[in-house]
């Protein structure tokens, strides 16, 4: 996270005595990335964050990847993705590689257990529904359009107001705003499509200083583990630093437009190791008198392109609806379907809303995606 934030109370000087009302010391914890060299936060707990009364292994779902078969563009229609369970029970991987996995979750209930991913960042893009992400850092309320960015090591629960639908991105690298939009101090520059004001750190929540048995599901080493903590994990009285969960709403992405067609990097929202996340938002089209708003055909050299269609009409695609995914792998060109280029001329704006993930290494298709696949997509460019 690129900016310093503080929340609650903590001592004037780090690593000094800080006492509770009963005279006992609060327990200090440094939570950071890259072994004290990356971003970090300092947290103050009522109880030691190390105190667990039981550890155990939990059943771990292993994603089954399928042979890709002949190289082709693919489409998955996930409108009827089955709802049910809590955010993790409902979660299913659709596409992925060792840099990133992309999945869906359509929960109907709030989280049943505390969860901590110790091996990856997670971004939950809220497509539908609203609620709160509760963590040791406080409360992040969310609503449709929010990217909820959750760093490694965050212990969290999701409280939902009714049913919800999420696109879930998980990666063993750090998700951050693109470097080219930041100055050498990390601050977002004037030409960035969003700024710090659009990024929402957690809100303060009173610490929950309760003792008891609190099961936490920890994901690490590609497996799930049970840690029963002897106190409530949200016992933090205050923290400060650069590492915390935050939200950014896709409506706050200010599209960059031009006289002629702007390439996909203008939509880039986040970067991570070997992939980027882009937001295609409602915007005015190109304003050169001879401009063609539809994109040109393009070959994604060194890049697999995934689009998840959130809302509106996607002008370059025919037969693609809200909740659909398309995958355009590297090695073959793609572009507007027949008629889309001519039809785009003269249009002044688009209401399309989509999330795109471009990976720099090939994506595999998970077995759980096949029931949603639309077989004829590869031939949809035939006139
Ligand atoms: Fe493309």
């Amino acid at each position: 996270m690129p900016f310093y934030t503080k929340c609650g109370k903590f001592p004037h000087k780090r690593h000094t005595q800080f006492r509770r009302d009963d005279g006992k010391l609060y327990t200090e914890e440094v939570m950071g990335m890259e072994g004290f060299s990356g971003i970090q936060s300092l947290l103050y707990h009522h109880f030691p964050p190390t105190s667990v009364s039981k550890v155990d292994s939990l059943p771990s779902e292993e994603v089954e990847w399928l042979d890709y078969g002949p190289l082709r563009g693919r489409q998955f229609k996930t409108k009827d993705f089955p709802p049910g369970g809590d955010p993790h029970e409902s979660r299913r991987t659709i596409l992925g590689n060792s840099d990133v996995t992309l999945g869906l979750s359509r929960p109907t209930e709030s989280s049943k257990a505390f969860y901590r991913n110790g091996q990856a960042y997670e971004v939950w893009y809220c497509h539908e529904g609203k609620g709160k992400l509760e963590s040791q850092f406080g409360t992040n309320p969310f609503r449709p359009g929010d990217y909820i960015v959750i760093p490694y090591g965050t212990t969290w629960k999701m409280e939902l107001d009714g049913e919800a639908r999420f696109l879930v991105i998980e990666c063993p690298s750090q998700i951050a705003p693109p470097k080219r939009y930041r100055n050498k101090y990390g601050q977002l520059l004037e030409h960035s499509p969003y700024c710090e004001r659009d990024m929402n750190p957690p809100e303060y929540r009173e610490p929950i200083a309760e003792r008891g048995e609190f099961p936490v599901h920890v994901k690490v080493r590609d497996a799930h583990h049970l840690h029963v903590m002897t106190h409530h994990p949200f016992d933090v009285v205050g923290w400060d630093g650069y590492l915390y969960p935050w939200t950014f709403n896709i409506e706050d992405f200010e599209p960059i437009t031009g006289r002629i067609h702007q390439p996909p990097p203008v939509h880039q929202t986040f970067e991570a190791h070997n992939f980027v996340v882009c937001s295609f938002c409602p915007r005015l089209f190109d304003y050169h008198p001879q401009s063609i708003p539809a994109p040109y055909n393009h070959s994604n050299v060194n890049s697999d392109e995934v689009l998840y269609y959130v809302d509106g009409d996607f002008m370059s695609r025919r037969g693609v609806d809200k909740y659909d995914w398309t995958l355009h792998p590297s090695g073959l060109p793609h572009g507007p379907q027949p008629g889309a280029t001519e039809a785009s001329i003269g249009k002044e704006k688009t209401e399309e809303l989509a999330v795109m993930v471009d990976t720099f290494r090939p994506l595999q298709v998970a077995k759980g995606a096949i029931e949603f696949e639309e077989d004829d997509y590869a031939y949809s460019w035939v006139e």
Side-chain angles (χ1 to χ4, degrees):
M1 183 61 186
F3 63 86
Y4 172 80
T5 298
K6 52 188 174 182
C7 196
K9 53 179 188 171
F10 44 83
H12 174 67
K13 191 86 181 164
R14 60 186 168 174
H15 321 320
T16 58
Q17 293 177 38
F18 180 41
R19 295 188 181 276
R20 312 187 317 198
D21 292 342
D22 63 5
K24 290 188 176 157
L25 286 168
Y26 283 109
T27 305
E28 186 183 49
E29 179 193 12
V30 175
M31 186 174 152
M33 308 278 295
E34 300 165 36
F36 300 97
S37 305
I39 58 170
Q40 66 175 41
S41 286
L42 272 172
L43 300 97
Y44 295 87
H45 296 266
H46 271 269
F47 308 111
T50 45
S51 180
V52 291
S53 58
K54 184 184 174 189
V55 295
D56 209 345
S57 297
L58 290 172
S60 302
E61 76 293 356
E62 213 167 295
V63 178
E64 198 177 327
W65 302 108
L66 301 178
D67 177 27
Y68 197 93
L71 185 70
R72 63 206 190 276
R74 299 174 78 161
Q75 180 183 21
F76 305 92
K77 297 185 90 66
T78 58
K79 180 168 183 276
D80 297 324
F81 183 85
D86 83 353
H88 292 290
E89 290 168 333
S90 173
R91 185 173 172 177
R92 192 193 299 189
T93 301
I94 302 290
L95 304 169
N97 61 24
S98 58
D99 300 316
V100 59
T101 62
L102 307 172
L104 283 174
S105 175
R106 210 179 157 192
T108 52
E109 300 166 56
S110 296
S111 300
K112 291 175 183 158
F114 297 99
Y115 172 75
R116 180 192 309 148
N117 193 328
Q119 65 176 22
Y121 258 63
E122 293 189 7
V123 176
W124 288 62
Y125 173 79
C126 179
H127 188 168
E128 291 172 339
K130 59 183 178 164
K132 289 185 238 172
L133 182 91
E134 299 285 359
S135 72
Q136 69 265 53
F137 294 94
T139 304
N140 289 95
F142 61 81
R143 62 186 172 92
D146 271 329
Y147 291 100
I148 311 164
V149 182
I150 310 169
Y152 280 69
T154 305
T155 303
W156 58 271
K157 258 187 166 181
M158 215 179 252
E159 301 289 340
L160 296 176
D161 295 347
E163 299 187 6
R165 185 190 287 257
F166 299 93
L167 169 70
V168 187
I169 303 169
E170 181 177 351
C171 62
S173 59
Q174 195 175 321
I175 294 239
K179 276 199 188 69
R180 70 175 184 282
Y181 289 134
R182 289 182 279 164
N183 66 22
K184 64 181 176 181
Y185 306 101
Q187 187 175 12
L188 286 159
L189 291 160
E190 278 296 307
H191 67 290
S192 170
Y194 59 98
C195 75
E196 285 81 358
R197 218 178 275 186
D198 303 315
M199 303 157 86
N200 307 296
E203 296 171 357
Y204 179 71
R205 186 201 48 243
E206 287 292 329
I208 306 172
E210 281 174 25
R211 289 189 187 275
E213 291 199 331
F214 297 90
V216 181
H217 293 194
V218 182
K219 184 175 181 182
V220 76
R221 299 172 185 238
D222 291 328
H224 288 255
H225 311 263
L226 173 71
H227 278 205
V228 178
M229 296 184 70
T230 59
H231 58 83
H232 199 288
F234 303 161
D235 66 337
V236 172
V237 68
W239 60 271
D240 74 333
Y242 284 61
L243 185 73
Y244 47 85
W246 50 283
T247 63
F248 167 71
N249 197 282
I250 201 165
E251 285 175 10
D252 288 323
F253 187 91
E254 296 302 330
I256 296 169
T257 60
R259 252 164 63 92
I260 55 171
H261 188 81
Q262 298 295 298
V266 299
H267 306 286
Q268 192 186 343
T269 312
F270 306 124
E271 67 183 11
H273 181 63
N274 279 343
F275 76 95
V276 299
V277 179
C278 301
S279 305
F280 283 79
C281 298
R283 62 193 182 279
L284 295 180
F285 273 142
D286 324 320
Y287 48 89
H288 185 287
Q290 298 293 315
S291 70
I292 298 176
Y296 31 77
N297 294 293
H298 49 286
S299 289
N300 300 9
V301 178
N302 298 342
S303 184
D304 275 21
E305 175 196 289
V306 179
L307 268 158
Y308 176 72
Y309 300 85
V310 176
D311 210 356
D313 216 9
F314 216 76
M315 50 98 180
S316 61
R317 298 264 90 89
R318 197 182 58 199
V320 170
D321 303 306
K322 183 174 172 176
Y323 310 114
D324 288 6
W325 301 52
T326 55
L327 166 59
H328 300 136
S330 63
L332 78 170
H334 67 274
Q337 269 122 342
T341 300
E342 192 70 60
S344 77
I345 293 170
K347 293 231 170 100
E348 290 182 353
K349 61 178 184 174
T350 173
E351 297 298 328
E352 70 190 19
L353 189 63
V355 175
M356 183 171 86
V357 177
D358 272 11
T359 67
F360 304 156
R361 295 198 291 186
L363 285 164
Q364 300 298 322
V365 176
K367 189 178 178 193
I370 290 308
E371 67 184 274
F372 307 113
E373 183 154 27
E374 191 76 2
D375 289 332
D376 293 337
Y377 183 67
Y379 310 113
S380 63
W381 286 269
V382 177
E383 293 194 75

